[in-house]
Amino acid sequence: MSKYKVNKTFQEINAKIKSGKAVVVTAEEMIGIVKDEGPEKAAKKVDVVTTGTFSPMCSSGAFINFGHSVPGIKASRVWLNDVPCYAGIAAVDLYIGATEPTENDPLNIIYPGEFLYGGGHVIQDLVAGKPVRLRAESYGTHCYPRKFYEKTVRLSDLPYARLVNPRNVYQNYNCAVNLTKKTVYTYMGTLKPNAGNANYCTAGQLSPLFNDPLYQTIGTGTRIFIGGAPGYVICEGTQHNPNASRTDRGIPRTPAGTLMVTGDMKQMNARFLRGVSLLGYGCSLAVGIGVPIPVLNEEIAMRTGISDEEIVTQVVDYGEGYPKGKGESLAEVTYAQLRSGHITLNGKKVKTAPLSSYVRAREIAETLKEWINKGSFLLGEPQELLPGPAEK
Amino acid sequence: MYKKMIVLRFPPEITDQPLVCSLSREHDLCFNILKAKILPGQEGIMVLEVSGIKKNVTAGLRYLREHGVKVKSVSQEVRRKDDICFQCGACTAICPTNALYLDQETFEVKFEPELCKGCEFCIAICPVRAMELRFSHEKVLV
């Protein structure tokens, strides 16, 4: 006997998607539905809730096979547009990481460094169909005698190019301020002295893991929107921490769950994959991801009805506390407060700014909704759910 | 004290005339040349901060215009490449005049050039370098 009044399966929802009868709404639309009709009616009415996020996600990169030349090379060092790649895998395989700067980039020698081009930009250029210069070196072997290889390639020339991001879609993130007297340049953006601004970086109520906070539907094999194409959740991402402190509604108060995700670059769109340069910090890749949440029962309906008023995060000092490894919370704020344009910290009004594009997050949730409504995107039932919080 | 950041463009035929010094000699203005490139036979460009009594600044700029110099304020030179901006909002944290701000209804990042004072903070801070100074293409920075 189920503990729920509404019980739906992935198969039933997929059958409805195929016959064009599934009811799909975005996470923003679901807030009003749950509020007006209650979780049970909402669960009966809605089959899928779509989410979205579009932010810099540093732990991103791509596995690329560039094909054998004649004569062949066992590439031991490879560069794409002068960005070093990891080549310690098979002869013509490589991994390019989003945060790898161009070789000979001045980095932070002239502070703050600009980091104008790096691995994330190479990925964006490839997806945009632009030519990219590939350079490979080797020590030469009997079977692969070539020691040097250089070629201009486009994504369409590459036999294999797959985005494999070890940590994306962070469930919650700190709100950063700077309490020192000097401007600091961080991965949370430029922070003015004396708490001159407070930067935050999630899509809040639209963000995938805030809508399934206890990982009741997401895991290995969940089909997702990634960089404009269909892709998959591989498993939990690096630093996945399900045991973070949570609110009564199960929302983590600090950074918690993460996803390792993948997708075929050849199907992607550069609108949803953007190389970024964070002043004084480094380069990265902004990734657009959307996860569909099947409304299997009234509990999941209730959870997808979460709004910015009920999602909290911690304000942390990135001027002194965080770099010293003592990033204790200065205050707890809601995403509704962050989105209002300012928060109050120690009695002082502090201007807030996002690093995550809410406009694009909304576009992703809408696009995913459209795909499902057209019947071209079915839900993937996870073979294993993400590790959840330890039983208390 | 009134201050204004301006961009001056000198047509090739007047680059040999001493015009900017008149701002100080005849209009009692102080000026600080921030960037300049004046070569014979080519259009010259100069980025200038002018300060003094507002009336004198107006008269001085009128003098330059009457002598064929094209005068624009720096703010008119800051531009957003809308095809590149992905609406993240990082710039709204540092824009001192709120020329870049987040629309509270739609969360779109809006840019109002008339509020821009040309401080250029947004240019290096934008993660995708969507903000640009038009005259940076005119080789004045090279």
Side-chain angles (χ1 to χ4, degrees), chain A residues 96-169:
Chain A
I96 179 158
T99 66
E100 187 70 47
T102 309
E103 195 170 54
N104 301 326
D105 187 291
L107 308 174
N108 265 339
I109 293 169
I110 302 164
Y111 193 73
E114 288 205 88
F115 303 95
L116 290 176
Y117 197 86
H121 299 88
V122 172
I123 291 169
Q124 180 191 329
D125 282 348
L126 282 170
V127 169
K130 291 188 185 165
V132 166
R133 196 72 183 156
L134 178 139
R135 181 158 55 91
E137 282 177 11
S138 171
Y139 45 83
T141 72
H142 188 85
C143 45
Y144 294 128
R146 199 164 189 151
K147 290 187 178 168
F148 188 78
Y149 181 57
E150 198 168 1
K151 193 187 177 188
T152 297
V153 294
R154 288 175 194 268
L155 184 59
S156 54
D157 308 326
L158 297 170
Y160 184 100
R162 182 167 269 279
L163 208 64
V164 178
N165 300 349
R167 178 171 76 246
N168 277 183
V169 203

Side-chain angles (χ1 to χ4, degrees), chain B residues 7-11 14-15 38 43-46 68-72 77 134-136 138:
Chain B
V7 183
L8 307 179
R9 288 190 179 80
F10 301 81
I14 61 163
T15 49
I38 314 278
E43 182 182 73
I45 184 162
M46 189 180 279
V69 181
K70 292 177 214 151
V71 183
K72 273 193 169 178
E77 300 286 328
R134 271 178 237 213
F135 55 72
S136 63
E138 298 180 44

Side-chain angles (χ1 to χ4, degrees), chain A residues 181-213:
Chain A
K181 289 176 184 163
K182 274 179 142 179
T183 298
V184 296
Y185 302 92
T186 73
Y187 67 81
M188 288 300 290
T190 298
L191 302 170
K192 293 193 284 188
N194 307 312
N197 58 306
N199 286 5
Y200 63 99
C201 192
T202 97
Q205 61 198 16
L206 261 178
S207 182
L209 293 177
F210 280 142
N211 284 278
D212 183 7

Side-chain angles (χ1 to χ4, degrees), chain A residues 72-324:
Chain A
I73 187 168
K74 177 193 181 297
S76 47
R77 298 177 75 201
V78 185
W79 296 259
L80 288 171
N81 277 354
D82 291 328
V83 177
C85 305
Y86 181 73
I89 33 181
V92 289
D93 282 350
L94 63 88
Y95 186 79
I96 179 158
T99 66
E100 187 70 47
T102 309
E103 195 170 54
N104 301 326
D105 187 291
L107 308 174
N108 265 339
I109 293 169
I110 302 164
Y111 193 73
E114 288 205 88
F115 303 95
L116 290 176
Y117 197 86
H121 299 88
V122 172
I123 291 169
Q124 180 191 329
D125 282 348
L126 282 170
V127 169
K130 291 188 185 165
V132 166
R133 196 72 183 156
L134 178 139
R135 181 158 55 91
E137 282 177 11
S138 171
Y139 45 83
T141 72
H142 188 85
C143 45
Y144 294 128
R146 199 164 189 151
K147 290 187 178 168
F148 188 78
Y149 181 57
E150 198 168 1
K151 193 187 177 188
T152 297
V153 294
R154 288 175 194 268
L155 184 59
S156 54
D157 308 326
L158 297 170
Y160 184 100
R162 182 167 269 279
L163 208 64
V164 178
N165 300 349
R167 178 171 76 246
N168 277 183
V169 203
Y170 230 128
Q171 184 184 28
N172 214 347
Y173 214 82
N174 297 334
C175 167
V177 294
N178 167 21
L179 299 184
T180 71
K181 289 176 184 163
K182 274 179 142 179
T183 298
V184 296
Y185 302 92
T186 73
Y187 67 81
M188 288 300 290
T190 298
L191 302 170
K192 293 193 284 188
N194 307 312
N197 58 306
N199 286 5
Y200 63 99
C201 192
T202 97
Q205 61 198 16
L206 261 178
S207 182
L209 293 177
F210 280 142
N211 284 278
D212 183 7
L214 303 174
Y215 331 118
Q216 290 165 303
T217 72
I218 302 173
T220 298
T222 297
R223 289 190 90 209
I224 57 170
F225 170 111
I226 175 166
Y232 290 93
V233 171
I234 301 171
C235 55
E236 76 274 20
T238 57
Q239 289 179 203
H240 177 74
N241 174 24
N243 294 319
S245 160
R246 290 173 190 263
T247 67
D248 295 345
R249 291 213 36 176
I251 294 291
R253 296 172 189 276
T254 56
T258 67
L259 298 179
M260 185 171 184
V261 293
T262 185
D264 178 7
M265 277 169 67
K266 296 194 182 196
Q267 296 178 54
M268 291 184 186
N269 177 346
R271 181 172 176 79
F272 300 107
L273 277 181
R274 300 291 302 276
V276 297
S277 306
L278 299 167
L279 190 65
Y281 179 73
C283 34
S284 186
L285 182 70
V287 188
I289 294 185
V291 179
I293 313 230
V295 185
L296 302 174
N297 54 53
E298 60 271 30
E299 184 185 342
I300 291 166
M302 177 273 284
R303 298 206 183 279
T304 51
I306 194 93
S307 69
D308 282 342
E309 286 78 14
E310 303 157 298
I311 309 175
V312 295
T313 191
Q314 311 303 315
V315 182
V316 172
D317 174 26
Y318 275 65
E320 200 171 343
Y322 187 88
K324 286 186 176 165

